[in-house]
């Protein structure tokens, strides 16, 4: 197997690394968009047995192409089981049965709290309305652990959220336990520049890996809080040809 | 006039009737209306009939308000939205929804905002005849702040504090399904989302179907709603378009993509609404 | 040794193994055990294996303890019963159950007694990861008196007082189903009662099946339990006898009738148990 | 259609009249035993469209023969819908969707409260253990109205229940409202001697009809409380040949 062609885009680096983060997962609750692309890529590469769970009711979906929405017919047709939406949230998610919740976000802060509700645009303009919570608050609360994938920019990585839609690590280590949230919370934020992981002591997300060719300075410049770096910042392995081929087949299908 | 709610009495079966008549009878100014469907089986034709009839001052409930609610909101018929995720799936924002929230056009839109888990459990409580439901939810989020339909309860056995959400009992629930028989028994399959709960929580129930059949044949994943739990059935082939009905149609993804530029502009939207909904009746009448 | 509960982790799939080995591994002295099935799909073979292995000091949970629990109680393995209706369906009393309650033979039997609605909701709470469930129940009855698992909660929205029941989370749930595939995914159909909830509420799950098949074919009314939510599967054709498995067998009503005189008499019961369960292994091993 | 043969047994009179009580019902939540026989007879005679609902999960069951248990396979096979047991109790029963709950009983008192739990046998003997509540408490609480069918004797019709398993009218008119029970409660007790109905003022059950050939004195002698009689005590119409034929076909099938 050869290394990837040089043309791997930042988005592709993000998705490939997001897929790799599922190497240890048996079951994944999949948000639509980037998380769904990453989880489907994982099924085609590193984790063929990964059980994909979509909030629309599909348990063990095996779509041949990337679904446009979480309610695509193929999800139901290829699922091991189709359940009602209340059953999905109560019996499967809330009970703590799912290993990994995979979320996107409009904004996150340094503790990987998520805002998908509303964003301020300055004093003269009304706040910008986003889609809202969807399944994210309880995915973030109840899955064994949480992965977040989003593009890196100061618009997305902000010092202070306008609205907390879903709790990551709250105001720091120990906050999840105080709130009675049962899962371990976010363990990685995978971006088009690199990977952030929580500091073991404080739960503040720090830069732990950069994609090939990206500098820590670039990551800091794209982050709305003073981004700290881990003692050793690694470099993510370049996408393999197999990964890129699978990803492109998936997104172009 | 049909006047029937969850507590059906002897002799009631679902009436099979034309959509305009069923909408005129069941959906009224000021109602709380749930039109459910999780991407699949969204009752677009019934919503368009509501727009044509100008039923207004509606409180709309729906887990995933998408293009169908964008159209109702843009038409100025909606005063309040009860929801958990409002977007154009796979495309982006709902611009009519945003314009109403951000700018009050064509009228201000009050919001009662939840998570999916909260909304699903609100319907469950409504369908169960309970005033509230319990869940692990909302802790630490800003969603609970100021909502009159999110609170807490304490477990009488463990002392643990949990979230409580108020039951949601729409005046009328509208869904689309694949088939009904001549007694008004309804069969749907595929992703059936929260539709059973939304139906059983409602005072009145309108179901549009792809097809009226002589006999409903049991099938994998099939969900049956007995005719005595449904108020009226209307046969509307393609009534879920641009959403889809598994076994009958596929999702018209191009429509959802095309909606984005149409809905970004108030004038373009208004012209679209006139041409494609207000001045058009054929699709919905049989 | 398999040690797996509801929180399955990477790499886990249900093991397919012989019944004696699965029972030895999953069902332990002092456990709370649910063997569910509403007339249909009752896991008799697994219960007989529990009797043969002498697993004891059990707390048994079940909505409808019938002949299967009469046998376990008569065998002296049960210290407590959590239930809502204990009879021989269509025949009459459970005489071993009565003898234990009325006379403490062969040992006293503690009771935690509910209505069906209460028991069903206890499993629902257990399956949902909640410490309790809310229902309209028990009001005015003597059932609530003195039970540690029935209480009340007040609706934070309406002020109404409702019944609360404590979650039921068995250490192990045992059910019988029609089929499993080689990955341990389970398919059952027909009346599937409260089995999904009992399975999802449990720390460990043992499923006996009529047949291991190469592929589970979706079918009307089919309920699938993914292999990763099941600890072990054992192939035991006829494992529900004298209950039945729709599509494989019919209910042996004669057996239920014959049980009445056998179970009325302690000596006759003891002889029956020795001859038909303790000294017999063939049916349960493969 | 001719009158019934003289051989109609007291049990047959009971079941035929119990079936007739369903004339106005659209949906019936059916207990096993006598209620199931009556409800199935109603489907064959006076109310062919009656929707039979069994707590095992069958909605709209149409069994060809009388089921021995509430979990017989034929109930599922002939049902309009099969639902889980929790759904049955929460969505269908508790929500107040069912017109008539049809119950049997081990014992009732004058307010049609029901005991199916435990019965005293005197000071020297342990109380006799009965099967328990089953679905009855919530059927009695939540159905639009309740019918009760049981054989008439001083063992069954008692002055005071040893245990209240299911509430009829509590301690009299108004008690159901005080308890927050939503259905109207028991409206008739049909026995092998006649029919009792609640006094409109007090909700105490009084004798309103006797089967042909039965005297009020016989009914009083079979009742463990001082049974009052309505101002006018009617006589039930004798079973028709069609009713008896249908009943015998059902029970002998």
């Amino acid at each position: 197997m050869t290394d990837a062609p040089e043309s791997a885009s930042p988005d592709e680096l993000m998705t490939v690394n997001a897929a790799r983060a599922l190497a240890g997962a048996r079951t994944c609750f999949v948000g639509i968009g980037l998380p769904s692309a990453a989880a489907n890529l994982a099924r085609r590469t590193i984790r063929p047995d990964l059980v994909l769970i979509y909030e629309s009711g599909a348990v063990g979906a095996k779509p041949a192409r990337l679904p446009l929405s979480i309610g695509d017919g193929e999800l139901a047709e290829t699922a091991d089981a189709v359940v009602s939406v209340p059953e999905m949230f109560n019996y499967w998610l809330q009970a703590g049965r799912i290993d990994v919740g995979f979320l996107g976000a409009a904004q996150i802060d340094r503790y990987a709290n998520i805002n998908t509700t509303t964003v301020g645009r300055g004093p003269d303009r009304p706040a910008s309305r986003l889609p809202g919570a969807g399944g994210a608050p309880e995915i973030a609360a109840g899955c064994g652990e949480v992965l977040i994938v989003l593009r890196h920019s100061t618009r997305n990585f902000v010092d202070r959220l306008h609205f907390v839609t879903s709790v990551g690590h709250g105001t720091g280590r120990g906050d999840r336990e105080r709130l009675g949230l049962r899962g371990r919370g976010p363990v990685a934020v995978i971006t088009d520049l690199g990977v952030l992981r929580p500091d073991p002591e404080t739960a503040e997300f720090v830069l732990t890996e950069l994609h090939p060719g990206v500098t820590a300075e670039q990551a800091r410049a794209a982050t709305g809080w003073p981004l700290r770096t881990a003692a050793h910042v690694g470099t993510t392995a370049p996408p393999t040809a197999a990964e890129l081929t699978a990803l492109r087949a998936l997104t172009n299908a | 006039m049909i006047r029937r709610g969850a507590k059906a009495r002897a002799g009631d079966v679902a009436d099979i009737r034309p959509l305009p008549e069923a909408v005129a009878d069941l959906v009224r100014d000021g109602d709380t209306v749930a039109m459910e469907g999780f991407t699949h089986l969204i009752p677009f034709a019934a919503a368009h009939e509501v727009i044509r009839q100008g039923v207004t001052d509606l409180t709309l409930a729906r887990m995933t308000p998408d293009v169908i609610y964008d159209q109702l909101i843009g038409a100025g018929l909606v005063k309040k939205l009860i929801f958990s995720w409002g977007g154009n799936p796979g495309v982006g924002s709902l611009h009519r929804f945003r314009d109403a929230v951000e700018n009050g056009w064509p009228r201000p839109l009050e919001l009662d905002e939840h998570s999916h888990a909260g909304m699903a459990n609100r319907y469950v409580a409504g369908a169960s005849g309970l005033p509230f439901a319990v869940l692990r939810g909302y802790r630490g989020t800003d969603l609970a702040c100021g909502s009159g339909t999110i609170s807490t309860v304490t477990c009488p056995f463990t002392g643990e504090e949990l979230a409580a959400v108020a039951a949601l009992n729409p005046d009328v629930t509208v869904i689309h399904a694949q088939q009904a028989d001549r007694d008004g028994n309804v069969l749907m399959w595929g992703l059936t989302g929260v539709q059973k709960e939304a139906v059983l929580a409602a005072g009145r129930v309108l179901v549009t179907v792809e097809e009226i059949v002589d006999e409903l044949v049991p099938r994998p994943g099939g969900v049956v709603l007995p005719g005595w739990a449904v108020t009226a059935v209307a046969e509307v082939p393609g009534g879920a378009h641009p959403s889809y009905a598994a076994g009958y149609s596929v999702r018209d993804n191009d429509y959802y993509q095309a909606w984005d530029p149409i809905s970004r502009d108030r004038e373009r939207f208004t012209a679209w609404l006139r041409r494609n909904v207000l001045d058009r009746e054929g699709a919905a009448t049989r």
Side-chain angles (χ1 to χ4, degrees), chain A, chain B:
Chain A
M1 200 157 304
T2 61
D3 276 358
E6 288 168 52
S7 57
S9 73
D11 268 13
E12 287 175 335
L13 291 170
M14 174 170 63
T15 304
V16 164
N17 279 282
R20 291 171 180 170
L22 288 165
R26 172 76 192 166
T27 51
C28 180
F29 206 103
V30 187
I32 206 63
L34 293 172
S36 180
N40 276 283
L41 180 59
R43 275 198 74 247
R44 279 160 182 73
T45 52
I46 199 165
R47 194 74 183 116
D49 288 341
L50 183 67
V51 177
L52 303 186
I53 299 171
Y54 287 84
E55 64 196 15
S56 52
V59 177
K62 294 169 271 295
R65 61 193 193 115
L66 205 55
L68 180 66
S69 85
I70 53 163
D72 276 19
E74 200 187 0
L75 298 178
E77 288 155 19
T78 62
D80 295 325
V82 175
V83 304
S84 76
V85 164
E87 177 179 326
M88 177 59 79
F89 281 98
N90 291 341
Y91 290 2
W92 297 90
L93 179 63
Q94 179 173 262
R97 232 174 279 284
I98 314 295
D99 292 344
V100 177
F102 213 140
L103 295 174
Q107 290 189 329
I108 66 167
D109 67 15
R110 74 193 67 193
Y111 295 110
N113 302 300
I114 293 176
N115 175 17
T116 54
T117 299
T118 182
V119 171
R121 288 186 289 194
D124 297 336
R125 301 183 59 195
S128 177
R129 177 67 222 192
L130 306 176
E138 287 76 24
I139 295 172
C143 288
E145 59 185 45
V146 174
L147 297 171
I148 300 170
V149 55
L150 82 167
R151 293 182 189 92
H152 217 136
S153 83
T154 52
R155 271 188 70 203
N156 298 347
F157 286 69
V158 299
D159 188 47
R160 191 179 170 79
L161 296 182
H162 193 246
F163 189 101
V164 177
T165 314
S166 304
V167 176
H169 292 282
T171 56
R173 187 69 70 193
D175 222 30
R176 290 185 65 87
E177 293 74 5
R178 274 193 294 282
L179 290 167
L181 307 180
R182 302 174 120 194
R184 292 197 292 133
V187 295
V189 177
I190 298 122
T191 82
D192 48 351
L193 300 182
V195 181
L196 282 63
R197 299 186 198 273
D199 180 281
E201 301 270 309
T202 64
E204 179 178 328
F205 273 68
V206 300
L207 184 67
T208 56
E209 289 137 279
L210 290 163
H211 297 317
V214 180
T215 67
E217 196 43 56
Q218 286 177 280
R220 273 193 289 269
T223 304
W225 69 83
L227 178 65
R228 295 173 53 228
T229 52
H232 171 73
V233 175
T235 303
T236 62
T240 64
E243 284 172 327
L244 273 189
T245 304
L247 175 57
R248 290 170 183 175
L250 197 59
T251 49
N252 298 330
Chain B
M1 294 279 276
I2 297 174
R3 289 290 175 269
R4 256 185 74 248
K7 290 176 183 60
R9 301 300 299 174
D12 287 322
V13 290
D15 287 79
I16 297 173
R17 44 204 320 218
L19 179 61
E21 192 185 311
V23 166
D25 203 17
L26 269 65
V27 189
R28 305 166 198 167
D29 287 353
D31 270 357
T32 296
V33 183
M35 300 182 180
E36 275 295 349
F38 222 88
T39 306
H40 181 215
L41 293 174
I42 300 176
F44 270 91
H48 289 174
E49 185 58 30
V50 168
I51 293 173
R52 273 191 292 276
Q53 296 191 13
V55 190
T56 191
D57 295 336
L58 299 174
T59 293
L60 293 185
R62 183 180 165 86
M63 291 182 65
T64 53
D66 63 357
V67 168
I68 187 177
Y69 276 22
D70 214 32
Q71 295 172 353
L72 286 154
I73 290 166
L77 306 174
V78 188
K79 67 174 182 190
K80 182 175 177 181
L81 181 66
I82 303 169
F83 79 113
S84 40
W85 191 87
N88 182 344
V91 179
S93 287
L94 292 178
H95 300 288
R96 295 298 92 227
F97 160 66
R98 289 186 60 170
D99 203 9
V101 173
E102 297 175 5
N103 308 305
W105 192 93
R107 62 192 283 182
L109 183 65
E110 187 186 345
L111 299 183
D112 180 12
E113 186 161 3
H114 283 263
S115 68
H116 277 352
M119 277 292 283
N121 278 293
R122 295 189 67 187
Y123 282 124
V124 167
S128 301
L130 293 174
F132 74 107
V134 180
L135 71 154
R136 294 186 183 283
Y138 299 109
R139 292 297 291 274
T141 77
D142 290 335
L143 286 160
C145 309
S147 167
T149 53
I150 303 174
S151 185
T152 58
V153 289
T154 301
C155 173
F157 305 104
T158 65
E160 189 179 2
E161 187 183 85
L162 296 140
V165 287
L168 180 53
N169 288 101
D171 294 308
V172 54
T173 287
V174 182
I175 64 167
H176 186 76
Q178 281 98 340
Q179 299 178 340
D181 67 16
R182 294 181 200 288
D183 294 329
N185 299 301
V186 170
L187 175 64
M188 53 184 170
W189 64 85
L191 297 168
T192 54
V194 76
Q195 279 99 307
K196 180 183 272 190
E197 288 75 15
V199 161
L200 296 180
R204 304 181 289 275
V205 176
L206 167 59
V207 184
T208 58
V209 295
E210 291 290 326
E211 192 179 4
I212 304 277
V213 298
D214 289 329
E215 193 181 2
L216 298 177
V217 178
R219 52 184 302 149
V223 172
V224 173
L225 299 170
W228 53 273
V230 171
T231 319
V233 169
E235 188 178 25
V236 187
H241 179 268
S243 162
Y244 72 105
Y248 287 85
S249 58
V250 295
R251 192 166 186 268
D252 185 352
N253 288 327
D254 292 343
Y255 182 111
Y256 283 89
Q257 301 276 4
W259 183 248
D260 190 76
I262 293 167
S263 62
R264 276 180 190 273
D265 183 85
R266 291 178 186 171
E267 284 181 26
R268 194 165 165 197
F269 161 77
T270 304
W272 180 93
L273 193 71
R274 175 147 308 282
R275 192 166 55 249
N276 293 279
V277 179
L278 293 170
D279 291 348
R280 179 184 242 173
E281 286 188 63
T285 51
R286 283 176 65 94

